Amino acid sequence: MRYSLVFTIAIFLLMACKKDNFTTAPQISFKSISPNVVDNTSATPILTIHVTDAEGDLGLNGKDTAFIYMKNLKTNTFDSLLFPDLQAVAKSNFKADVDIDISKVLRCKSLPGFPLHTDTLYFQVYIKDFAKNKSNVIVTDDPVYYICR
């Protein structure tokens, strides 16, 4: 009796811990953003996200394109980018870190009477694959401190 109880508990624990990392809809997570202090003359920050996808239908394939969608949460500036060309590496159970140039949404709010100030910017990001499956939506964990002139 005691062994069957221990065996049953062990089976439930193993079943509860098993997670499928690869789903039809892409999954993304925040990795980093660098540099995180910039102005309009500095290098553009690069956002790095980790991407997983069961089918690997991301990138450019000649007839379809996957997209990255970004929104600056301070200014509500929204834009999309073509996904980088991953044709050589995209395959089933795809996982990789992807670098994104965020210059298209790098804006600050003007403050009357303060020509020089620093905005703390966070970004919302999601992606869509060839089949138009939308990933989870993430918000960057680390801010970009944008010195506005």
Side-chain angles (χ1 to χ4, degrees):
M1 172 73 175
R2 184 169 72 168
Y3 291 113
S4 63
L5 180 61
V6 171
F7 181 72
T8 304
I9 291 172
I11 294 295
F12 281 122
L13 287 175
L14 288 173
M15 288 174 37
C17 291
K18 184 182 178 196
K19 291 183 181 176
D20 186 9
N21 292 330
F22 301 101
T23 59
T24 296
Q27 297 297 308
I28 62 174
S29 61
F30 174 80
K31 294 287 282 189
S32 65
I33 195 160
S34 181
N36 71 335
V37 178
V38 296
D39 63 14
N40 59 354
T41 63
S42 302
T44 301
I46 301 297
L47 169 66
T48 304
I49 59 173
H50 183 73
V51 179
T52 61
D53 186 54
E55 294 82 17
D57 56 343
L58 299 164
L60 309 167
N61 71 0
K63 57 184 174 174
D64 210 346
T65 305
F67 286 91
I68 300 167
Y69 298 90
M70 299 179 301
K71 180 179 180 182
N72 177 329
L73 296 176
K74 180 88 170 187
T75 63
N76 288 322
T77 306
F78 180 84
D79 212 332
S80 62
L81 299 170
L82 295 175
F83 212 90
D85 185 4
L86 302 174
Q87 219 170 344
V89 295
K91 60 187 182 322
S92 293
N93 294 339
F94 172 80
K95 68 178 179 175
D97 290 343
V98 176
D99 292 338
I100 305 164
D101 176 341
I102 63 169
S103 61
K104 286 183 139 187
V105 293
L106 193 60
R107 307 277 183 279
C108 61
K109 285 212 172 202
S110 60
L111 294 176
F114 294 96
L116 179 64
H117 68 281
T118 302
D119 270 350
T120 304
L121 307 178
Y122 289 90
F123 303 89
Q124 186 180 71
V125 181
Y126 65 91
I127 64 176
K128 286 188 180 178
D129 62 14
F130 296 158
K132 309 302 180 230
N133 295 312
K134 182 180 174 182
S135 75
N136 57 310
V137 178
I138 62 167
V139 174
T140 55
D141 292 344
D142 299 330
V144 170
Y145 300 102
Y146 190 61
I147 302 167
C148 305
R149 298 180 193 274

